[in-house]
Amino acid sequence: MSKMWLPVAELTSSRRPVLNPGEVESCLLSSVDILCEENPNLPPFKSGLLTLTTHRILFIPDTLSNAVAIPLAAITHIFSSNKSIKSMFASPRVRFQVTITGEGSVDKNGSRSAVVTLVCRGKSGPDPDVFVGKLWEAWRGRAWEASSGGAGSSQAVMVQDGGSGVGVFKMPVVGVSGILRKEQEMWESTDKSLQDAFQDLNALMSKAKEMVMLAEKMRQKLLSGSASQSSASTDEELGTTKEEMQDWLLSVGIASPVTKEAAGALYHQQLSRQLADFVKIPIERAGGMINLIDVYCLFNRARGTELISPDDLLQACTLWEKFDVPVMLRKFDSGVMVIQNKSHSDEEVFARIKSLVLKPEALRMGVSASDAAMTLGIAPAMAKEHLLSAESKGLLCRDVSPDGFRFYISLFEEFNGDDMYIVKEYGNYAAWVAANAISSR
């Protein structure tokens, strides 16, 4: 028997499951144990988040260990729960039978069977009976299989015609049964006409589904692959730039958005993790920092009809402090809130601002938020916050006029407190004097 008897599932950097094409989450349970009661030699999986999808049962442990999955295709039977007095005082259990290989690993092509038990110890999330109902629905739906259309029934009788082959003989309209049969034939004819009318639409929807699957694969490639290799291969294969590909991915949206119905009490936790995965591309495009209002618009656009409120977004962002995610919420002194990478450095931004304000034109006229926005490649509102932060660090000073704010290099550090009237022939002060002397000629 192998130690890892369940296949490993892939997770994102925020420990959200990486879903397969066409896979959608349907229910979540917290503090769940997975064990095989028939074989105590198989190690149990203790205290984790259980996520039911249309394809798998995912187990994400509370620790940083690997996640595992039980394919629904490997389940052969789901046992009904027996209600008893004893069960009222014990943790709810969900039992089902799966196929396993000779080595004891769960696999849909296994030759043996074993019973797996889910022990629901958590108090948050939906009721275990609701989970069982959704498990039955997903298992019977068999979404992992290719859908095959069946031919409609026909009321015509196929008869063998002497030597000419097969002919069609329609039953005569006689009595009540004939009237009902005639009515059914009319409905079938109408249904066939509708199918023909929507044939092009179905083909379009099929292509759209393929495009969503392709976009999801490309999104995971952009998030997981290295910046140089991934972008180079993407540009070479698709003949487009990385920025254009990111625009397409943002337009496609999220394949399986977290909902209150599926997550229950775990809604804000899972929403926080999904948001952390989503903002990676927008933050990268924005230079490492993006306004919270912009994130709200982009995230709701990607979720489609499953919109969230501003309070839900803010609460999801504040939960990042508890999770090991690569992004964080930041609030400037002015009250503006942004989302930025944890690796983002203000010192790098200040260095670029300093190089901007030391240009001869900037030494004479100063710089505005629009000037800084063009240099930093960000929105003017965000550029203004960076300029104000640089001012608070003593790097800049500002001039307020009817035309707005203009920022200049701070020369206060150039003055000597012991001799305020000494003129230096080097440093920022000397550059400022030279720039203004040229403009006065």
Side-chain angles (χ1 to χ4, degrees), residues 5-8 20 23 52-58 68-76 96-99 105-109 135 139 144:
W5 54 284
L6 293 180
V8 176
N20 297 324
E23 187 176 12
L52 173 65
T53 72
T54 53
H55 294 54
R56 299 173 293 173
I57 298 176
L58 298 162
V68 294
I70 302 175
L72 295 186
I75 298 178
T76 58
F96 50 85
Q97 184 173 288
V98 297
T99 55
S105 301
V106 174
D107 189 271
K108 64 178 181 180
N109 298 320
L135 176 60
W139 184 55
W144 59 89

Side-chain angles (χ1 to χ4, degrees), residues 180-224:
L180 294 176
R181 187 165 57 252
K182 182 68 175 180
E183 191 76 14
Q184 185 173 355
E185 290 178 359
M186 184 181 67
W187 280 110
E188 287 182 355
S189 177
T190 304
D191 183 64
K192 185 177 183 302
S193 299
L194 289 174
Q195 289 181 2
D196 293 340
F198 285 98
Q199 185 175 3
D200 293 339
L201 180 61
N202 291 334
L204 177 62
M205 294 296 293
S206 176
K207 291 296 182 182
K209 184 178 181 180
E210 294 177 5
M211 291 303 298
V212 170
M213 293 164 54
L214 175 62
E216 187 67 20
K217 291 180 181 178
M218 295 305 301
R219 189 178 76 89
Q220 294 299 332
K221 186 176 182 180
L222 285 175
L223 293 179
S224 60

Side-chain angles (χ1 to χ4, degrees), residues 203-255:
L204 177 62
M205 294 296 293
S206 176
K207 291 296 182 182
K209 184 178 181 180
E210 294 177 5
M211 291 303 298
V212 170
M213 293 164 54
L214 175 62
E216 187 67 20
K217 291 180 181 178
M218 295 305 301
R219 189 178 76 89
Q220 294 299 332
K221 186 176 182 180
L222 285 175
L223 293 179
S224 60
S226 62
S228 58
Q229 297 178 354
S230 178
S231 61
S233 61
T234 301
D235 296 348
E236 183 178 348
E237 294 173 4
L238 301 180
T240 183
T241 63
K242 187 175 181 181
E243 289 74 15
E244 291 175 344
M245 175 57 66
Q246 290 172 347
D247 287 335
W248 293 347
L249 297 181
L250 289 175
S251 300
V252 170
I254 300 174

Side-chain angles (χ1 to χ4, degrees), residues 211-395:
M211 291 303 298
V212 170
M213 293 164 54
L214 175 62
E216 187 67 20
K217 291 180 181 178
M218 295 305 301
R219 189 178 76 89
Q220 294 299 332
K221 186 176 182 180
L222 285 175
L223 293 179
S224 60
S226 62
S228 58
Q229 297 178 354
S230 178
S231 61
S233 61
T234 301
D235 296 348
E236 183 178 348
E237 294 173 4
L238 301 180
T240 183
T241 63
K242 187 175 181 181
E243 289 74 15
E244 291 175 344
M245 175 57 66
Q246 290 172 347
D247 287 335
W248 293 347
L249 297 181
L250 289 175
S251 300
V252 170
I254 300 174
S256 179
V258 175
T259 61
K260 291 183 179 180
E261 180 183 2
L266 304 173
Y267 172 67
H268 287 102
Q269 294 183 18
Q270 294 303 310
L271 182 67
S272 176
R273 294 183 183 275
Q274 188 173 68
L275 179 61
D277 291 331
F278 173 80
V279 297
K280 287 182 179 179
I281 293 178
I283 288 179
E284 182 181 346
R285 296 180 60 202
M289 182 182 297
I290 187 171
N291 196 304
L292 192 62
I293 299 176
D294 296 337
V295 173
Y296 176 74
C297 297
L298 291 172
F299 194 50
N300 267 334
R301 173 188 174 188
R303 288 176 62 88
T305 58
E306 300 293 341
L307 304 180
I308 64 171
S309 66
D311 290 338
D312 288 337
L313 179 70
L314 184 58
Q315 188 169 350
C317 293
T318 55
L319 289 176
W320 285 338
E321 298 177 357
K322 301 179 181 179
F323 305 141
D324 185 17
V325 294
V327 293
M328 59 178 289
L329 179 67
R330 176 180 177 181
K331 186 175 183 180
F332 286 100
D333 295 336
S334 62
V336 175
M337 289 186 288
V338 298
I339 297 174
Q340 69 175 41
N341 287 323
K342 288 184 177 179
S343 59
H344 178 80
S345 173
D346 285 344
E347 299 302 325
E348 296 180 3
V349 178
F350 293 160
R352 296 175 65 184
I353 292 176
K354 185 175 181 179
S355 64
L356 172 63
V357 297
L358 286 177
K359 293 180 178 180
E361 183 67 22
L363 287 171
R364 295 192 301 268
M365 305 297 296
V367 296
S368 64
S370 299
D371 298 331
M374 295 178 63
T375 301
L376 300 176
I378 57 177
M382 295 300 303
K384 181 180 178 181
E385 296 299 330
H386 285 305
L387 292 172
L388 292 173
S389 297
E391 180 195 21
S392 65
K393 298 293 184 180
L395 178 63

Side-chain angles (χ1 to χ4, degrees), residues 409-416 422 424 426-430:
I409 189 68
S410 177
L411 302 177
F412 291 102
E413 294 182 357
E414 301 288 326
F415 294 102
N416 187 351
I422 187 173
K424 295 182 179 180
Y426 57 88
N428 295 336
Y429 180 78

Side-chain angles (χ1 to χ4, degrees), residues 29-31 88-92 120-128 265-266:
L29 287 177
S30 63
S31 301
M88 295 175 60
F89 300 97
S91 299
C120 307
R121 306 186 187 278
K123 302 299 181 182
S124 60
D127 188 85
L266 304 173

